[in-house]
């Protein structure tokens, strides 16, 4: 698996350090607000697991499953809700937990849907922000790392369902997807 990685962008330690900082900021900003974390499956499962351990305030965790890539390296532009939330969010402070914001299509679709359910607030926390690829302007409220336009895998992110279990974030060798 590791031999398919061209370069490591962020090591396990880099990620741990950044998550502590992001978690601390969330602890401050959401103190007394009982936030509801919405983890976007599947990519964000590892980020959620590590981030939630840094959260020292009362919070709840729920899941949504969304698909946009359809097995390729490029978003298909079609955002599908595979699993919706199973809890109401009206009057809750919602914090969406994502692994990566790329074109912004997924976050645009999810935030628009969730806003119709009258949350008190809705914000986005993403581990990776690939800003230069945006097709839709999406404001990210918390991020781990801004990344260049390279195809990244590991720490939850896949290519054809592989590599999600890598403990670091790396760039996939071009020959794997060409
Ligand atoms: C990935 C990622 C984000 C989305 C970002 O999900 O987890 O949800 O794409 O891309 P966008 O900003 O261009 O919409 P994917 O559809 O690959 O599903 P997965 O999380 O199950 O891997």
């Amino acid at each position: 698996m590791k031999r398919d990685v061209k370069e490591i962008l962020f090591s396990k330690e880099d990620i741990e350090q950044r998550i502590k900082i992001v978690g601390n900021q969330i602890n401050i900003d959401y103190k007394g607000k009982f936030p509801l974390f919405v983890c976007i499956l599947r990519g964000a499962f590892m980020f959620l697991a590590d981030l939630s351990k840094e959260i020292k305030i009362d919070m709840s965790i729920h899941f949504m499953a969304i698909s946009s890539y359809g097995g390729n390296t490029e978003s298909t532009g079609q955002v599908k809700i595979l699993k919706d939330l199973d809890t109401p969010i009206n009057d809750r402070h919602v914090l969406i937990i994502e692994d990566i914001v790329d074109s912004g299509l997924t976050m645009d679709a999810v935030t628009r849907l969730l806003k119709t359910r009258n949350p008190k607030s809705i914000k986005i926390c993403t581990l990776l922000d690939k800003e230069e690829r945006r097709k839709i302007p999406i404001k990210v409220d918390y991020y781990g790392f801004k990344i260049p336009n390279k195809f990244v895998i590991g720490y939850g992110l896949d290519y054809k369902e592989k590599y999600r279990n890598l403990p670091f974030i790396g760039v996939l060798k071009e020959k794997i997807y060409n």
Side-chain angles (χ1 to χ4, degrees):
M1 206 174 29
K2 269 191 184 168
R3 63 169 181 256
D4 299 344
V5 177
K6 186 174 165 190
E7 77 185 280
I8 293 181
L9 280 187
F10 308 108
S11 68
K12 188 170 176 273
E13 292 72 29
D14 294 335
I15 298 169
E16 271 167 18
Q17 260 183 20
R18 243 337 258 171
I19 288 181
K20 277 195 199 320
I21 294 168
V22 173
N24 281 340
Q25 194 57 51
I26 292 171
N27 285 326
I28 294 166
D29 296 350
Y30 284 90
K31 193 169 178 217
K33 292 185 171 172
F34 188 38
L36 187 152
F37 283 27
V38 174
C39 173
I40 307 298
L41 295 170
R42 285 158 289 176
F45 76 96
M46 207 176 276
F47 180 40
L48 171 85
D50 287 340
L51 178 67
S52 60
K53 285 178 264 180
E54 299 301 326
I55 302 302
K56 312 297 181 201
I57 56 173
D58 284 337
M59 49 97 89
S60 50
I61 297 175
H62 290 271
F63 296 91
M64 271 179 103
I66 309 285
S67 176
S68 69
Y69 274 47
N72 290 313
T73 55
E74 290 271 321
S75 175
T76 57
Q78 298 277 325
V79 176
K80 267 196 240 156
I81 298 186
L82 305 177
K83 180 206 172 296
D84 202 347
L85 285 175
D86 46 23
T87 189
I89 59 166
N90 56 307
D91 292 328
R92 295 294 303 273
H93 291 284
V94 170
L95 184 60
I96 299 173
I97 310 296
E98 251 298 20
D99 55 340
I100 184 166
V101 180
D102 190 328
S103 69
L105 289 167
T106 305
M107 278 305 92
D108 180 61
V110 171
T111 51
R112 275 193 292 128
L113 172 70
L114 296 186
K115 274 178 191 163
T116 64
R117 300 177 188 175
N118 302 315
K120 250 188 198 148
S121 69
I122 180 158
K123 287 190 175 180
I124 298 170
C125 174
T126 184
L127 179 65
L128 303 175
D129 188 0
K130 208 190 259 186
E131 243 178 336
E132 70 181 85
R133 293 247 313 163
R134 282 296 199 287
K135 288 187 186 148
I136 296 183
I138 285 289
K139 184 176 156 270
V140 161
D141 300 282
Y142 304 93
Y143 69 90
F145 305 98
K146 304 252 181 205
I147 59 163
N149 186 13
K150 293 180 175 178
F151 192 80
V152 290
I153 40 101
Y155 200 79
L157 291 101
D158 76 309
Y159 173 61
K160 292 196 172 168
E161 296 305 326
K162 281 163 72 180
Y163 312 109
R164 291 194 200 270
N165 52 321
L166 288 172
F168 56 80
I169 290 164
V171 178
L172 191 62
K173 284 184 182 161
E174 283 91 356
K175 69 168 191 199
I176 306 295
Y177 55 87
N178 276 335

